[in-house]
Amino acid sequence: MMAIILLVLKYFTFFSIFINDMKKKLIYDRDILFLVLIGLFSAVKFNDLGNYYLGASGYLMPLLALYILEDYFKKSLIGFGDVKLMMGIGGLFRYSGVENIFKFYTMLYIFSGIVVLFLLFFKKLQKCEYIPFAPFIIASYIFFNHFKIFFG
């Protein structure tokens, strides 16, 4: 029963993040906190706190590096909300190897690149317009989590 409640809370939180990032261009800290707590409860339930911490840290690192590079290039690419969201997502995934982190990011960037190219091609998006990244992160998490069989 607890697993069902956590699953419903997780998807409700994903929905809230998705809508807020699309409409307000903002990811609330309360939503990130819910994801972190859901992952933490799940890790405690399965006695897997070490992999929870490594997952949160490992999945966070590539986006954190990108966020730090923004300062160097003086160009805004992603917001810190996306970085914090990836920490929560990494905690939900838990650590299962660097190759899974690489596969997830590869899928995330290919998926978001294809969608953005279609939006640019069909003139639904301007070239320098803000593109919320959280919906791509969430969709990639859902796809990657539910279709792990395809990713090894």
Side-chain angles (χ1 to χ4, degrees), residues 55-70:
S57 301
Y59 280 87
L60 168 75
M61 285 303 151
L63 273 190
L64 186 59
L66 184 62
Y67 186 76
I68 292 169
L69 284 175
E70 285 183 352

Side-chain angles (χ1 to χ4, degrees), residues 8-152:
V8 169
L9 280 173
K10 177 172 66 173
Y11 283 101
F12 179 75
T13 305
F14 281 157
F15 181 74
S16 174
I17 291 170
F18 191 98
I19 296 300
N20 286 326
D21 199 31
M22 292 292 286
K23 289 186 176 183
K24 299 176 185 175
K25 300 173 177 57
L26 182 66
I27 300 173
Y28 292 111
D29 287 339
R30 69 163 190 256
D31 293 335
I32 303 300
L33 181 63
F34 279 141
L35 284 182
V36 168
L37 290 176
I38 290 167
L40 188 59
F41 285 138
S42 178
V44 167
K45 179 182 175 186
F46 293 111
N47 197 21
D48 201 15
L49 283 173
N51 284 331
Y52 167 79
Y53 175 75
L54 288 173
S57 301
Y59 280 87
L60 168 75
M61 285 303 151
L63 273 190
L64 186 59
L66 184 62
Y67 186 76
I68 292 169
L69 284 175
E70 285 183 352
D71 193 39
Y72 179 74
F73 290 113
K74 308 286 190 247
K75 176 82 172 142
S76 179
L77 302 171
I78 59 170
F80 197 63
D82 297 320
V83 175
K84 293 185 287 186
L85 173 62
M86 191 54 74
M87 180 187 65
I89 296 280
L92 292 173
F93 271 134
R94 285 185 246 134
Y95 183 76
S96 59
V98 174
E99 62 277 351
N100 283 333
I101 297 172
F102 180 74
K103 289 176 187 177
F104 175 77
Y105 271 98
T106 301
M107 186 190 68
L108 169 65
Y109 291 140
I110 289 172
F111 169 65
S112 46
I114 290 170
V115 171
V116 168
L117 284 175
F118 275 121
L119 291 174
L120 285 171
F121 182 74
F122 291 113
K123 309 265 192 261
K124 302 288 183 189
L125 189 67
Q126 299 298 322
K127 196 172 186 180
C128 293
E129 189 175 342
Y130 171 80
I131 302 167
F133 196 49
F136 295 114
I137 295 172
I138 291 169
S140 296
Y141 167 80
I142 292 169
F143 185 81
F144 194 80
N145 196 39
H146 292 291
F147 297 105
K148 283 183 183 174
I149 193 166
F150 296 119
F151 299 105

